[in-house]
Every structure is written in C-alpha cells, then in structure tokens.
Amino acid sequence: PQAMQDAFFSVSPHDFNPSAISVDNLSMNDEIFHVIRSGDIAKLSELQKKRQSSSTYYFQENDVHFLRISLIFYGAIACHYAFLGGIPEKNVKDLFRLFLNELGSLTKPSDFWVLLSNFSKTLCHRVHDIHNPAYESEILFHCIRYIDGNLHSRITMEDLEEAAHASRKTIFRHFVDYLGT
C-alpha cells in the first residue's frame, strides 16, 4: 500500500488526500468486474463516467512501469470475469494478448486510462453480445431462450429439440453456423 501511495496521488477539486489512494481508485473493484461479467454496457459507461469526473490522476513518466504492472493485473481479472460471463476461453486469451500488445507500446500515462476504458468496454460488449445476440436463426432464439429460462435444471437435447421444434442435427448446425460453437 505504501508503494502505491508513493507511486501516484489523486487530486479532486475539493479535496487532496494522498493517503486516500486505494485499489478502488484504479477502477479495480468488484463492481466493475461484475458489470463486465453481466455485459451491462450502460452500467459500465455510468461507472466509467463517475470515475472520470470524481478525480484526476497524475503520473510521472517513471510511473509507466508501475502502470503496466497494475493494468496487467486488471486485464487478467477482467478477462476472468468476461470468461465467467460466457466469452469462450480462446477468445478471452486472444483479447488479452491484444491488450498486452497495446499496453507494451504505451508511453504516456494518460493513454493507459484510455486503453483500460476501451478494454473494459470491449469485454463488456462481447459478454453482452453473447447474452443478447442479434439472432439470425429462430431456432437459436428458441434454444437460448429455453436455456436461459432453465439454467438451474438439467437441460437435455430433447428439451432443446422440443423448444425449437427442430432436430438435433439442425440445432447443432445452427449453433456452429451462427455462433461458431
């Protein structure tokens, strides 16, 4: 904690208190992660605007290394929550690799917050799209609606066949063709 306090400080229009720095000030709290997991794009925007207007962070050029390390941890945790939200593991790994590549090329502290915001939005949008896809297939619509409504019970292929009024083979084909899974 002391190293974090020494590395940066926060200034708000009404108050200055260097000892008030916490992990929360880095947008690394449970609320952000749970919003990513749920895919609630509107809530994420609201939280990001609130954080942006609540205080300004000042970093010196030698803090870039500290920022990279902090955001690697943030990115890893955010990816974990995105995976829990339904993004396939391979997709999460690919997104994290892209994030790390961009992170490695940043040199200005202000660019880190833009990357952090954009990465969070990307993950949240992907989770949202999984839970609210623009269905081109009525069969998928009925299957996923059935699955969402029966998550806490044992779901069989026969249940999906009945819900979608389609054969097992057709359901499999639609999942692969439209969702890639």
Side-chain angles (χ1 to χ4, degrees):
Q2 185 60 45
M4 288 178 68
Q5 291 177 19
D6 293 340
F8 61 96
F9 60 91
S10 173
V11 177
S12 72
H14 306 290
D15 185 43
F16 172 67
N17 183 356
S19 65
I21 290 300
S22 70
V23 173
D24 195 46
N25 293 108
L26 284 173
S27 300
M28 296 170 64
N29 66 25
D30 283 342
E31 189 172 15
I32 292 278
F33 296 130
H34 288 290
V35 167
I36 289 171
R37 180 181 180 176
S38 71
D40 188 343
I41 297 165
K43 182 70 173 174
L44 179 67
S45 294
E46 176 188 318
L47 288 173
Q48 287 179 334
K49 284 178 188 171
K50 187 188 312 181
R51 293 229 187 300
Q52 192 173 23
S53 65
S54 67
S55 60
T56 304
Y57 298 98
Y58 294 93
F59 292 85
Q60 298 174 352
E61 290 304 314
N62 60 354
D63 295 330
V64 168
H65 179 70
F66 172 78
L67 279 170
R68 279 195 184 109
I69 292 170
S70 298
L71 294 187
I72 288 170
F73 285 115
Y74 173 88
I77 295 168
C79 283
H80 173 74
Y81 275 81
F83 172 73
L84 293 176
I87 299 177
E89 182 180 354
K90 183 189 180 320
N91 295 14
V92 171
K93 285 180 179 180
D94 290 344
L95 289 169
F96 191 57
R97 280 188 198 101
L98 290 172
F99 172 73
L100 292 176
N101 286 341
E102 288 184 50
L103 187 61
S105 66
L106 298 181
T107 56
K108 294 188 323 190
S110 59
D111 293 341
F112 284 87
W113 301 113
V114 172
L115 176 61
L116 177 66
S117 175
N118 290 341
F119 184 62
S120 298
K121 285 178 189 172
T122 297
L123 293 174
C124 196
H125 276 277
R126 294 282 177 99
V127 171
H128 178 270
D129 291 346
I130 285 172
H131 294 287
N132 304 293
Y135 291 107
E136 296 177 28
S137 164
E138 193 170 324
I139 290 171
L140 280 181
F141 173 78
H142 290 295
C143 286
I144 293 176
R145 192 168 88 185
Y146 181 84
I147 292 168
D148 284 341
N150 296 282
L151 284 175
H152 299 291
S153 61
R154 187 169 183 274
I155 300 170
T156 65
M157 276 307 299
E158 290 78 20
D159 295 332
L160 293 180
E161 289 171 341
E162 187 177 316
H165 304 290
S167 70
R168 178 180 303 228
K169 186 176 179 179
T170 300
I171 291 171
F172 283 150
R173 185 172 43 82
H174 280 250
F175 268 87
V176 170
D177 290 350
Y178 292 100
L179 299 178
T181 185

